[in-house]
Amino acid sequence: MKSLIVEISNREGVRIERIALDGNSLSIGRAWDSDLIVQDKFVDPDHLGISLGDDDQVFITDLETKNGSRLDGKKLNAAAKAYRLGDVLIIGDTHIKMFDAQASVGPAAIRSNWFLLAERLSSFKAILILTGLAILLQVTQIYSRSGEPLKFEDLMVSAVGVLMLLFLWSLLLGLIAKLIRGETNIKPLWVLGCLAVVIASIVSLILLVIRFNFQDISLGESVSVVVFGVFFTCLLAGVFSYVTHIQSRSKWLCSFILVVSLYGVSKSDEYLKEPHQTWTSSTKTEQATLPPAFLLREGVSIDDYLSDTEALFDFQ
C-alpha cells in the first residue's frame, strides 16, 4: 500500500486530499462515486484511473475521455502511463499533483463542505433517520398549529405529503443536474431536502415562540425575514453545488441575489397599495398563537388590562 497526497487546483481554488493505493484502481472524475471528485465541467464523470504497480510505481490511465488528459504537456492514451511524483497532470481546467506521504500525514484541506456532508450522510441508516425526523417534525408542527383536534388520517396525509415533496424535490433537481452537469445522484439531493425540512421546522417553531411572546408584528416580521433569508441562501448554495458547476464565491452571490429578488417580488404589492390600505395593514396584530406553556413572559391579568385600557382612552 502507498499513501499519496493529491493537490487539486482549479477555479474553485486549491485543495489537498489523501488517498491510499493498494491493489485496486482508484478513479478521478466528476461523478459522485469517484474516489477524487473534481468540480470541473470539462472533466468526464470517470476521467482517470490511478493504480499501483510493482515497486510502488504509480500508473495513470486516461479512461477514453472526451477532452483528454495531459501529463507534463503530453497527451495520455488508454494505456497505463507511469507517473513520476510531483509531475503536473492536467484534466479539463484542473491541475493535479501527487506526492508521497507518510501514514501520519493528513490533508491540509478537504473537499467542498457540501460534498463532505453528502458523503457522511449517504448511508441507508442516515437517510432513513433524516427522513423519519423530517416527517416527525413536520407533522408535529402541523399538529401544534392546528386549532382543532387532528385525526390519525390527517397526520398520515401530512407524512405522505412530506415524502412526496422530498421525492419531487430530488427528482426535479436530479433532472436539472443531469442536464447541466451531465450526471446526477439522488442521495445527496434527498439528504439536502430532509435537512431543509428539519431545519425549517425547528426554525419556524423557535420564531413562533419568539413572536408569541413579544407580540410585536414589526419585530417578528423583521426577525423572520433575516433568519429565513439566511436559511434559503444556504439552501440555494447547496443546490448550486450539487446541480451546477458554479464556483464557490459565485454560488453564494447568486443565492443571495436570488433570495433578495424573490423577497422583493413578494413585497412588491405593498408599494401598489392605496394610503388607506397601508394604514390598515400597519394596525395588524401578531397572529402567532401557541399553548400557554410556551408563554415565557409574565401574563397580564384582566384587571390590569382593563386599567390600562381606561388610562389609554382616559375613561372617567
Side-chain angles (χ1 to χ4, degrees):
M1 178 179 291
K2 188 178 185 65
S3 295
L4 297 176
I5 294 297
V6 184
E7 180 185 283
I8 303 172
S9 59
N10 53 23
R11 294 178 181 179
E12 287 281 327
V14 179
R15 82 174 195 267
I16 299 176
E17 294 205 19
R18 180 192 181 92
I19 59 174
L21 286 176
D22 50 19
N24 299 320
S25 176
L26 300 182
S27 62
I28 297 179
R30 201 180 64 230
W32 289 88
D33 56 353
S34 296
D35 297 292
L36 286 175
I37 300 176
V38 176
Q39 284 283 78
D40 187 333
K41 63 182 178 181
F42 298 112
V43 172
D44 284 21
D46 294 312
H47 200 105
L48 287 176
I50 310 175
S51 58
L52 189 64
D54 297 334
D55 299 327
D56 286 344
Q57 174 64 54
V58 179
F59 287 91
I60 304 294
T61 305
D62 182 271
L63 303 178
E64 300 181 354
T65 57
K66 181 179 179 180
N67 295 315
S69 310
R70 292 185 176 275
L71 179 61
D72 278 347
K74 298 180 180 179
K75 189 173 182 179
L76 295 177
N77 52 37
K81 176 73 174 179
Y83 177 82
R84 185 176 58 187
L85 297 179
D87 285 352
V88 179
L89 183 63
I90 301 177
I91 55 174
D93 288 334
T94 301
H95 290 207
I96 298 175
K97 293 181 181 180
M98 289 184 283
F99 305 93
D100 197 358
Q102 300 297 326
S104 59
V105 177
I110 58 174
R111 67 183 62 174
S112 167
N113 290 332
W114 295 106
F115 286 92
L116 184 61
L117 176 68
E119 182 180 295
R120 291 182 174 179
L121 299 177
S122 61
S123 66
F124 177 77
K125 182 179 179 180
I127 292 176
L128 189 62
I129 292 175
L130 277 177
T131 304
L133 185 60
I135 294 174
L136 178 63
L137 288 175
Q138 191 65 20
V139 169
T140 302
Q141 186 179 24
I142 294 174
Y143 179 79
S144 64
R145 292 189 175 189
S146 177
E148 300 177 357
L150 293 177
K151 298 180 181 179
F152 178 76
E153 292 80 4
D154 299 327
L155 299 179
M156 289 301 298
V157 170
S158 301
V160 173
V162 174
L163 288 176
M164 289 298 299
L165 177 64
L166 291 173
F167 174 77
L168 293 176
W169 159 278
S170 303
L171 181 62
L172 178 61
L173 292 182
L175 291 175
I176 296 175
K178 186 66 176 178
L179 293 174
I180 297 177
R181 292 178 57 93
E183 52 87 28
T184 188
N185 190 341
I186 297 298
K187 280 186 178 181
L189 298 175
W190 185 279
V191 168
L192 184 62
C194 290
L195 289 175
V197 173
V198 169
I199 295 174
S201 299
I202 295 175
V203 169
S204 297
L205 179 59
I206 294 175
L207 290 176
L208 192 61
V209 172
I210 293 174
R211 299 181 69 161
F212 176 62
N213 282 274
F214 282 96
Q215 289 296 311
D216 186 328
I217 190 170
S218 299
L219 176 63
E221 288 184 349
S222 299
V223 173
S224 298
V225 167
V226 172
V227 172
F228 276 107
V230 173
F231 167 74
F232 283 113
T233 300
C234 294
L235 178 62
L236 286 175
V239 171
F240 285 139
S241 296
Y242 293 144
V243 174
T244 70
H245 293 287
I246 297 179
Q247 301 174 28
S248 180
R249 293 181 180 179
S250 299
K251 69 186 177 187
W252 285 103
L253 180 60
C254 291
S255 302
F256 176 75
I257 293 175
L258 184 57
V259 169
V260 172
S261 301
L262 292 175
Y263 177 74
V265 170
S266 67
K267 291 295 182 180
S268 60
D269 61 327
E270 295 288 337
Y271 303 102
L272 303 177
K273 288 183 177 180
E274 297 294 333
H276 70 277
Q277 292 176 315
T278 305
W279 300 334
T280 303
S281 62
S282 65
T283 60
K284 293 190 299 182
T285 57
E286 183 63 76
Q287 299 297 316
T289 57
L290 285 171
F294 290 94
L295 186 63
L296 305 179
R297 58 183 170 84
E298 185 178 355
V300 179
S301 66
I302 296 296
D303 292 337
D304 291 340
Y305 176 78
L306 293 176
S307 176
D308 292 340
T309 303
E310 292 175 358
L312 177 63
F313 292 99
D314 196 20
F315 289 152
Q316 300 297 329

